[in-house]
Coordinates of all heavy atoms in Angstrom, one line a residue:
Chain A
R26 N 10.5 -5.9 10.5 CA 10.0 -7.2 10.3 C 11.1 -8.2 10.2 O 12.1 -8.0 9.4 CB 9.2 -7.2 9.0 CG 7.8 -6.6 9.1 CD 7.2 -6.5 7.7 NE 7.1 -7.8 7.1 CZ 5.9 -8.4 7.1 NH1 4.8 -7.9 7.6 NH2 5.8 -9.6 6.5
D35 N 9.0 -21.5 -1.9 CA 9.5 -20.1 -2.4 C 10.6 -20.3 -3.4 O 10.6 -19.6 -4.4 CB 10.0 -19.3 -1.2 CG 8.9 -19.0 -0.2 OD1 7.7 -18.9 -0.6 OD2 9.3 -18.7 1.0
S42 N 11.0 -18.5 -12.0 CA 10.8 -17.1 -12.5 C 12.0 -16.6 -13.3 O 12.0 -15.5 -13.7 CB 10.4 -16.2 -11.3 OG 9.2 -16.6 -10.8
Q44 N 15.2 -17.4 -16.2 CA 15.8 -18.3 -17.2 C 17.3 -18.0 -17.3 O 17.7 -16.9 -17.1 CB 15.1 -18.1 -18.6 CG 15.2 -16.6 -19.1 CD 14.1 -16.3 -20.2 OE1 13.2 -17.2 -20.4 NE2 14.2 -15.1 -20.8
R53 N 22.8 -19.7 -9.4 CA 23.1 -18.5 -8.7 C 22.1 -18.2 -7.6 O 22.3 -17.4 -6.7 CB 23.1 -17.3 -9.7 CG 24.3 -17.4 -10.6 CD 24.7 -16.1 -11.2 NE 26.0 -16.3 -11.9 CZ 26.6 -15.4 -12.7 NH1 26.0 -14.2 -12.7 NH2 27.7 -15.6 -13.3
Q56 N 21.9 -20.7 -2.3 CA 22.6 -19.8 -1.3 C 23.6 -20.7 -0.5 O 23.4 -21.8 -0.2 CB 21.7 -19.2 -0.4 CG 20.7 -18.2 -1.0 CD 19.8 -17.6 0.0 OE1 19.1 -18.4 0.7 NE2 19.7 -16.3 0.2
Q60 N 25.1 -16.5 2.7 CA 24.0 -15.8 2.0 C 22.7 -16.1 2.7 O 21.9 -15.2 2.8 CB 24.0 -16.3 0.6 CG 25.2 -15.8 -0.3 CD 25.3 -16.4 -1.7 OE1 24.8 -17.5 -1.9 NE2 25.9 -15.7 -2.6
Q107 N 38.1 0.7 -11.5 CA 37.1 1.5 -12.3 C 36.1 0.6 -13.0 O 35.0 1.1 -13.3 CB 37.9 2.4 -13.3 CG 38.7 3.5 -12.8 CD 37.9 4.8 -12.5 OE1 36.6 4.8 -12.6 NE2 38.5 5.8 -12.0
G111 N 31.4 -7.6 -15.3 CA 31.8 -8.9 -14.8 C 30.6 -9.7 -14.2 O 29.9 -9.1 -13.3
F139 N 32.1 8.5 -7.3 CA 32.3 7.3 -6.5 C 31.0 7.1 -5.6 O 30.3 8.1 -5.3 CB 33.5 7.5 -5.5 CG 33.4 8.7 -4.6 CD1 32.7 8.6 -3.4 CD2 34.0 9.9 -5.0 CE1 32.6 9.7 -2.6 CE2 33.9 11.0 -4.2 CZ 33.2 10.9 -3.0
T141 N 28.8 5.4 -2.2 CA 28.9 5.5 -0.7 C 28.4 4.3 0.1 O 28.1 4.4 1.2 CB 28.2 6.8 -0.3 OG1 26.8 6.7 -0.7 CG2 28.8 8.1 -0.9
S178 N 28.9 -8.7 5.4 CA 29.4 -7.5 4.7 C 28.7 -7.3 3.4 O 28.4 -8.3 2.7 CB 30.9 -7.6 4.5 OG 31.3 -6.7 3.6
R182 N 32.7 -10.9 -2.2 CA 33.9 -11.7 -1.8 C 34.7 -12.0 -3.1 O 34.5 -13.1 -3.7 CB 33.5 -13.0 -1.1 CG 32.8 -12.7 0.3 CD 32.2 -13.9 0.9 NE 30.9 -14.3 0.3 CZ 30.2 -15.4 0.6 NH1 30.6 -16.2 1.6 NH2 29.1 -15.7 0.0
Chain B
E162 N 8.7 -9.6 -0.4 CA 9.6 -9.1 0.7 C 10.8 -10.1 0.9 O 11.9 -9.6 1.0 CB 8.8 -9.0 2.0 CG 9.6 -8.5 3.1 CD 8.7 -8.3 4.4 OE1 8.0 -9.2 4.8 OE2 8.8 -7.2 5.0
K163 N 10.5 -11.4 0.9 CA 11.7 -12.3 1.1 C 12.7 -12.2 0.0 O 13.9 -12.2 0.2 CB 11.1 -13.7 1.1 CG 10.5 -14.2 2.4 CD 10.0 -15.6 2.2 CE 9.2 -16.1 3.4 NZ 8.7 -17.4 3.1
Y166 N 15.2 -9.4 0.1 CA 16.3 -9.5 1.0 C 17.2 -10.7 0.7 O 18.1 -11.1 1.4 CB 15.9 -9.6 2.5 CG 15.2 -8.3 3.0 CD1 13.9 -8.1 3.1 CD2 16.1 -7.2 3.3 CE1 13.3 -6.9 3.5 CE2 15.5 -6.0 3.7 CZ 14.2 -5.9 3.8 OH 13.6 -4.7 4.2
R168 N 19.9 -12.9 -0.6 CA 21.2 -12.7 -1.2 C 21.7 -13.9 -2.0 O 21.5 -15.0 -1.5 CB 22.2 -12.4 -0.1 CG 21.9 -11.1 0.6 CD 22.9 -10.7 1.7 NE 24.2 -10.3 1.1 CZ 25.2 -9.8 1.8 NH1 25.1 -9.7 3.1 NH2 26.3 -9.3 1.2
G170 N 24.1 -15.3 -5.8 CA 25.0 -15.0 -6.9 C 26.4 -14.7 -6.5 O 26.8 -14.7 -5.3
P171 N 27.3 -14.5 -7.5 CA 28.8 -14.4 -7.2 C 29.1 -13.1 -6.4 O 30.1 -13.1 -5.7 CB 29.4 -14.3 -8.6 CG 28.3 -13.9 -9.5 CD 27.1 -14.5 -8.9
D173 N 27.0 -11.8 -3.9 CA 26.2 -11.9 -2.7 C 25.2 -10.7 -2.6 O 24.8 -10.3 -1.5 CB 27.1 -11.7 -1.4 CG 28.2 -12.8 -1.3 OD1 27.9 -13.9 -1.7 OD2 29.3 -12.5 -0.8
R186 N 24.7 5.9 -2.6 CA 24.7 6.0 -4.0 C 25.7 5.0 -4.6 O 26.6 4.6 -3.9 CB 24.9 7.4 -4.6 CG 26.0 8.2 -3.8 CD 26.2 9.5 -4.6 NE 27.6 9.6 -4.8 CZ 28.4 10.4 -4.1 NH1 27.9 11.2 -3.2 NH2 29.7 10.4 -4.3
R188 N 28.3 5.0 -7.6 CA 28.9 6.0 -8.4 C 28.1 7.3 -8.0 O 28.0 7.7 -6.9 CB 28.9 5.7 -9.9 CG 29.9 4.6 -10.2 CD 31.3 5.2 -10.4 NE 32.3 4.1 -10.8 CZ 33.4 4.4 -11.4 NH1 33.8 5.7 -11.5 NH2 34.2 3.5 -11.8
R230 N 19.8 -8.1 -13.2 CA 21.0 -8.2 -14.1 C 22.2 -7.7 -13.3 O 23.2 -8.4 -13.2 CB 20.8 -7.5 -15.4 CG 22.0 -7.7 -16.4 CD 21.8 -6.9 -17.7 NE 21.7 -5.4 -17.4 CZ 22.7 -4.6 -17.3 NH1 24.0 -5.0 -17.4 NH2 22.5 -3.3 -17.1
R233 N 23.6 -9.7 -10.7 CA 24.2 -11.0 -11.2 C 23.4 -12.2 -11.1 O 23.8 -13.3 -11.0 CB 25.6 -11.2 -10.5 CG 26.8 -10.5 -11.1 CD 26.8 -9.0 -10.8 NE 27.9 -8.3 -11.4 CZ 28.1 -7.0 -11.3 NH1 27.3 -6.2 -10.7 NH2 29.2 -6.5 -11.9
D236 N 18.2 -14.2 -15.9 CA 17.2 -13.3 -16.6 C 15.8 -13.5 -16.0 O 15.2 -14.6 -16.1 CB 17.3 -13.7 -18.1 CG 16.4 -12.7 -19.0 OD1 16.1 -11.6 -18.5 OD2 16.1 -13.1 -20.1
V238 N 12.1 -13.7 -15.9 CA 11.1 -14.0 -16.9 C 10.0 -12.9 -16.8 O 9.5 -12.7 -15.8 CB 10.5 -15.4 -16.8 CG1 9.4 -15.6 -17.8 CG2 11.6 -16.4 -17.0

Side-chain angles (χ1 to χ4, degrees):
Chain A
R26 283 171 63 101
D35 293 334
S42 296
Q44 57 201 5
R53 293 203 172 174
Q56 295 177 305
Q60 290 173 336
Q107 290 279 3
F139 59 85
T141 57
S178 169
R182 295 173 285 178
Chain B
E162 182 177 49
K163 284 181 189 174
Y166 293 104
R168 296 183 75 173
D173 301 327
R186 42 172 232 258
R188 290 279 185 160
R230 180 182 63 84
R233 275 73 181 176
D236 186 19
V238 175

